[in-house]
Amino acid sequence: MRDLYLFNKGSLYHSYRTFGAHPIRLADDYGVRFTVWAPHAREVRVVGDFNHWQGERHAMERIGETGVWSLFVPNLVPGTVYKYEVHTSAGELLLKADPFAFLSELRPNTGSVVTDIFNYDWNDGDWQRRKQEMSPYHESMLIYEVHLSSWRSWGKEMFWTYEEMAEGLVQYVVEMGYTHIELLPITEHPLDMSWGYQVTGYYAATSRFGSPKQLMYLIDRCHQQGIGVILDWVPGHFCKDDHGLRLFDGTPIFEGTDWKRAEKPLWGTLAFDFGCTEVQSFLISNAIYWMDVFHIDGLRVDAVASMIDLHFDKPPEMLTYNTFGGTENIEAIRFLKRLNETVFHYYPDALMIAEDSSSWPAVTSPTYMGGLGFNFKWNMGWMNDMLRYMALDPAERMRHHNLITFSLVYAFSENYVLPLSHDEVVHGKRSLLNKMSGSYDQKFAQLRLFYGYWMTHPGKKLLFMGGEWGQFDEWKYDEALDWQLIGYPKHGSMHHYVKSLNRVYGEQASLWERDCDPGGFEWIDVHNAAQSVIVFMRRGHGEHDFSVIICNFSNQHYPEYRIGVPEPGQYRLALHSEAAAFGGALAHMQEIIYSSKTAWHGRPCSLTIDLPPLSFQLLVFASGEHGRSERFSALHGLM
């Protein structure tokens, strides 16, 4: 009864241990215990293939005034398909999937399936220990965003399994130099077209790719290879399918009674009632569940802006206000704070990443300082500004120079991830490559330049699959990526460039050690709008650990371009986007550049470099007395 008391109070944070279908032994009988919350139901029965979907003999017992129903059914085994037959107070009969089901039938079937998920033998102890020793703010974070259905497939709706992904996907991610995989939602959902964002089974890994333990194997393999796993998590809304959460006991217990707040007209879904304590237990437990049972390393929390704004995407007739007359969803804000506090209580090293397009302040500040309590937030402003800038004709860019510089005004106001996500390559927005202005060859040059600036700008990084070789078409959710393009010279060279850029990023601590520290970034030249050139430095923790980045966003060649640098000595060229091996025009480049004593850009020394049009260069300070270092081998070793 204590568990149910905590559930009703919104504080049962491991409610999946109590609710759902659990194979157990009761006295001398083996069977399954079913437990469900349906506070306004007149009666609830368990039905399934074991009783020919006739529930007369399997009516559940209501437990006091908790709104919870439970029943032990002997002789049932994992693999049993079931639903709850809910008799409403209005006399309706509903067939509902279990909100806490750990496995669902493969769509279009909608039954819940009994399974035992609590005895997987994990082999990721080294990874778990290493996580405890790391601070994500001071580590490299290069996230590969993946939609499992369309990363690879064997044909129409012939998906790779979790186990196949555990070999092919993990090996690819390691080879490419990513640090994390972010999976688009893999919770059970009925419609492929939703990409997983309209959920019916929050505790069920989708059956499209196999069993829950096969998913655990995929995550286990990632960890054994040093790859973190982030789950795209959707607590903001759920779909309206009859077997799901909508009107679960004949009344709106998950979505709340105010239809103006519940309806999400943009997506045709329903918002959770964040003020309901049982909903809080359900959702917060779900976040803990994925970390506890599946060893997920973090959550990318979807659509935070839509949760905290009562007017988000609402027509005039649906506008509501909070008790103070404002538009903030006070209950959702309190929920998010409690969610983050609870997650970090149990998993201090978790990643909680807000996908938030609003200007809400202190999203990544601790709750005790008035923040929402996330530790990272997507930087949507940087992304929108830069994609707009890169679509401009280079001749127009001098009048829009602020688009590439404004982000540094607020770059350290939050702990940011710079996302180049799936949302930017669908619905007529065109692929990243096809967003670039200019001719076919210029599009590739510009994408290399853009990636270079993205990788060296403060903030952690995320790239959606296919972007690494410059997929030309938009992402298609129901088809595999265009892997054959890697065999074409331009796309193959782009793939090689991204792999090299990823590796240089991982090797150069100056590019990520101080991502969240204003001292980790310095402008050298921010004002050269006339030539559309920017020059800046990234600094690591070491006194002499810094990199110099030069971006030429114009289509003009500047053969002797002088830049100021802070120290005399050798500067090594770690990466050049115009190298021939990357599809550029330069077969030979000066690898070592010596500074002169000519002061420039307010610095005591300077370098003179050749600056091709639409190019990115990364120089690393090496000092005069140091010999060649392995950390600078990327330019020759990967080309």
Side-chain angles (χ1 to χ4, degrees):
M1 287 294 291
R2 175 170 172 77
D3 280 359
L4 302 188
Y5 170 81
L6 293 174
F7 178 75
N8 292 146
K9 291 294 184 181
S11 303
L12 188 63
Y13 300 137
H14 296 82
S15 55
Y16 53 88
R17 298 174 183 171
T18 302
F19 289 82
H22 291 266
I24 63 169
R25 177 175 179 173
L26 186 63
D28 294 328
D29 293 321
Y30 289 95
V32 177
R33 184 195 69 213
F34 298 90
T35 308
V36 67
W37 177 58
H40 304 119
R42 181 167 52 85
E43 184 180 9
V44 183
R45 301 171 179 177
V46 182
V47 296
D49 49 7
F50 64 94
N51 62 9
H52 307 289
W53 300 92
Q54 302 297 317
E56 294 86 352
R57 294 189 298 110
H58 294 100
M60 304 181 78
E61 177 186 357
R62 186 178 185 119
I63 304 176
E65 300 301 318
T66 63
V68 175
W69 304 74
S70 191
L71 176 68
F72 174 76
V73 181
N75 303 317
L76 292 189
V77 296
T80 300
V81 178
Y82 71 99
K83 282 187 177 180
Y84 295 120
E85 182 184 278
V86 180
H87 297 252
T88 74
S89 58
E92 298 175 292
L93 189 151
L94 309 175
L95 276 181
K96 290 290 189 177
D98 188 347
F100 283 89
F102 304 129
L103 179 63
S104 299
E105 289 186 291
L106 179 63
R107 55 98 179 92
N109 295 328
T110 58
S112 302
V113 182
V114 176
T115 188
D116 184 2
I117 60 169
F118 295 101
N119 59 1
Y120 180 83
D121 185 17
W122 288 91
N123 295 285
D124 64 348
D126 288 344
W127 169 260
Q128 300 297 345
R129 285 186 289 272
R130 200 174 89 193
K131 271 204 311 182
Q132 294 175 13
E133 299 169 356
M134 297 190 303
S135 168
Y137 309 106
H138 308 299
E139 300 289 339
S140 59
M141 188 184 299
L142 181 53
I143 305 167
Y144 188 57
E145 188 186 35
V146 178
H147 178 250
L148 288 181
S149 297
S150 56
W151 188 73
R152 289 272 196 184
S153 72
W154 299 113
K156 185 73 171 178
E157 296 188 7
M158 298 172 62
F159 308 123
W160 275 33
T161 66
Y162 291 123
E163 288 183 323
E164 289 170 326
M165 291 286 180
E167 304 307 322
L169 174 60
V170 175
Q171 180 181 352
Y172 178 78
V173 167
V174 171
E175 290 176 353
M176 287 298 296
Y178 294 100
T179 64
H180 292 73
I181 296 172
E182 181 173 303
L183 300 174
L184 265 66
I186 54 171
T187 42
E188 195 57 83
H189 54 283
L191 183 66
D192 293 2
M193 192 182 298
S194 79
W195 317 333
Y197 287 95
Q198 297 196 7
V199 181
T200 51
Y202 275 81
Y203 288 81
T206 179
S207 298
R208 288 167 175 79
F209 316 115
S211 70
K213 289 186 178 177
Q214 289 174 319
L215 173 58
M216 293 176 191
Y217 176 71
L218 166 57
I219 297 167
D220 204 6
R221 287 289 298 162
C222 286
H223 289 170
Q224 291 169 33
Q225 296 297 315
I227 302 298
V229 183
I230 301 165
L231 177 63
D232 202 336
W233 189 58
V234 192
H237 62 118
F238 57 90
C239 69
K240 296 181 176 180
D241 290 51
D242 287 342
H243 68 283
L245 301 178
R246 181 177 68 94
L247 299 174
F248 186 81
D249 65 358
T251 67
I253 60 172
F254 284 95
E255 60 268 40
T257 57
D258 187 342
W259 71 272
K260 292 181 180 180
R261 290 197 179 190
E263 290 286 342
K264 291 278 193 182
L266 177 64
W267 300 313
T269 56
L270 294 168
F272 282 102
D273 179 5
F274 299 109
C276 174
T277 51
E278 290 86 357
V279 170
Q280 294 169 17
S281 286
F282 175 80
L283 287 174
I284 295 175
S285 292
N286 188 245
I288 299 297
Y289 166 80
W290 288 106
M291 296 179 185
D292 189 23
V293 178
F294 284 84
H295 288 203
I296 289 290
D297 299 292
L299 302 174
R300 176 265 197 188
V301 180
D302 179 61
V304 169
S306 77
M307 297 171 66
I308 62 179
D309 181 3
L310 291 172
H311 288 188
F312 187 92
D313 187 47
K314 294 292 179 76
E317 65 273 14
M318 292 181 65
L319 299 184
T320 61
Y321 297 86
N322 62 38
T323 54
F324 302 102
T327 63
E328 301 86 2
N329 188 333
I330 295 172
E331 291 81 8
I333 292 166
R334 288 172 178 164
F335 164 77
L336 289 171
K337 291 181 177 183
R338 194 172 188 183
L339 165 72
N340 287 317
E341 289 168 353
T342 306
V343 167
F344 289 125
H345 171 77
Y346 289 104
Y347 292 96
D349 51 11
L351 297 171
M352 293 297 289
I353 305 170
E355 188 263 321
D356 175 28
S357 57
S358 76
S359 57
W360 189 269
V363 171
T364 59
S365 293
T367 58
Y368 63 81
M369 296 178 63
L372 290 184
F374 291 93
N375 52 4
F376 288 97
K377 170 185 172 173
W378 277 19
N379 191 336
M380 313 291 276
W382 172 89
M383 177 270 299
N384 285 316
D385 284 350
M386 282 306 302
L387 291 180
R388 179 185 167 196
Y389 182 82
M390 297 306 298
L392 293 170
D393 185 300
E396 296 294 319
R397 287 177 176 166
M398 66 179 68
R399 287 181 281 274
H400 301 275
H401 194 67
N402 64 301
L403 290 176
I404 53 172
T405 61
F406 178 65
S407 58
L408 272 303
V409 173
Y410 62 87
F412 304 101
S413 63
E414 303 276 6
N415 304 322
Y416 281 117
V417 173
L418 307 185
L420 300 174
S421 77
H422 66 280
D423 277 331
E424 309 318 315
V425 293
V426 290
H427 301 323
K429 296 178 184 177
R430 297 178 292 174
S431 69
L432 291 180
L433 177 67
N434 207 14
K435 291 177 191 288
M436 304 295 116
S437 64
S439 67
Y440 184 74
D441 285 348
Q442 287 173 331
K443 286 180 181 293
F444 282 94
Q446 299 222 62
L447 188 59
R448 293 193 302 269
L449 165 60
F450 174 48
Y451 282 163
Y453 183 46
W454 164 67
M455 194 68 80
T456 53
H457 187 288
K460 309 307 179 185
K461 312 299 186 292
L462 177 141
L463 180 66
F464 184 56
M465 62 184 196
E468 67 269 29
W469 63 76
Q471 176 142 326
F472 201 83
D473 289 342
E474 282 191 347
W475 170 51
K476 300 175 284 294
Y477 76 91
D478 56 350
E479 297 180 22
L481 294 175
D482 296 330
W483 289 90
Q484 70 277 7
L485 289 178
I486 299 176
Y488 291 81
K490 284 292 185 183
H491 296 278
S493 296
M494 177 63 72
H495 192 241
H496 183 40
Y497 174 72
V498 170
K499 182 177 180 180
S500 302
L501 183 62
N502 290 355
R503 185 168 299 183
V504 170
Y505 167 78
E507 291 173 348
Q508 300 303 324
S510 61
L511 299 181
W512 39 262
E513 270 189 342
R514 301 176 71 182
D515 267 330
C516 306
D517 173 6
F521 178 90
E522 293 180 34
W523 282 115
I524 292 177
D525 186 8
V526 63
H527 299 299
N528 192 354
Q531 293 179 298
S532 297
V533 175
I534 56 173
V535 187
F536 59 94
M537 288 196 303
R538 295 297 311 278
R539 287 191 178 273
H541 289 313
E543 180 182 356
H544 301 292
D545 184 10
F546 66 90
S547 304
V548 177
I549 295 92
I550 311 99
C551 298
N552 181 8
F553 290 99
S554 79
N555 54 11
Q556 301 299 311
H557 181 200
Y558 306 114
E560 294 186 352
Y561 193 89
R562 185 174 292 276
I563 62 173
V565 291
E567 297 193 32
Q570 294 183 12
Y571 289 77
R572 294 180 182 269
L573 181 63
L575 198 75
H576 197 311
S577 67
E578 276 299 289
F582 301 144
L586 301 180
H588 302 285
M589 291 151 291
Q590 184 178 355
E591 181 187 358
I592 300 174
I593 305 172
Y594 292 91
S595 67
S596 73
K597 295 181 180 180
T598 303
W600 207 257
H601 290 142
R603 310 282 172 170
C605 309
S606 59
L607 307 172
T608 301
I609 62 172
D610 180 52
L611 191 54
L614 303 174
S615 66
F616 160 86
Q617 295 180 54
L618 172 63
L619 305 178
V620 178
F621 179 66
S623 83
E625 65 271 21
H626 289 170
R628 181 178 176 84
S629 171
E630 287 301 315
R631 65 179 181 146
F632 302 118
S633 64
L635 182 65
H636 290 286
L638 294 177
M639 286 172 55

